Amino acid sequence: MLIASYTTQSFEYYFYFPAPGDFSIYPANAAKGGVILATAAPRRFLVLTELTKKELKTMSDVLEKGTKRDILEFVATKNILNRELFAFEDILYLLKDREFYLEFIAEL
C-alpha cells in the first residue's frame, strides 16, 4: 500500500479473539524502502465475554453500544438540541421502523 506525501489515511481492521484474555498486537508502522520510519505505540486488548459498562454520553455512543430502548431513553433525558450530543440524521435509518418511529415521536 502506498500513501502519497503530505497525506493521511485511516484504515480499519478487525480482530478475532478465540477466548477472553489479555492480548497484544504488533503495532502499525510506516516504512520506505524496507526501512521502518515510524511505529505506533503497542496496544493491548482486554477481551471479555460481556460488556462491563455502557457509557452512553452521546448519540454516537448509543448507536454504537446501545439498543433502541437506549435511544428512546437518551432522547427523553438529554438535550437533543445540542448538536454535540445528538444529530437527527444519525438515526434517520431507524425511523423507517414504524413502531420505533411512533415511540420516538412520543418521546419528543
Side-chain angles (χ1 to χ4, degrees), residues 63 89-97:
L63 291 172
E89 58 269 19
D90 292 344
I91 65 159
L92 287 177
Y93 71 99
L94 292 169
L95 299 177
K96 292 178 183 177
D97 174 348

Side-chain angles (χ1 to χ4, degrees), residues 10 24 30 59 73 83 95:
S10 295
S24 59
M59 182 51 69
E73 183 177 324
R83 293 285 294 167
L95 299 177

Side-chain angles (χ1 to χ4, degrees), residues 5 7 18 20 23 29 31 39 41-42 44 47 55 65 67-68 71 82:
S5 299
T7 63
F23 298 91
N29 63 64
T39 303
R44 296 189 71 78
V47 178
E55 290 197 25
K65 304 171 192 168
T67 64
K68 287 183 178 179
I71 293 170
N82 180 343

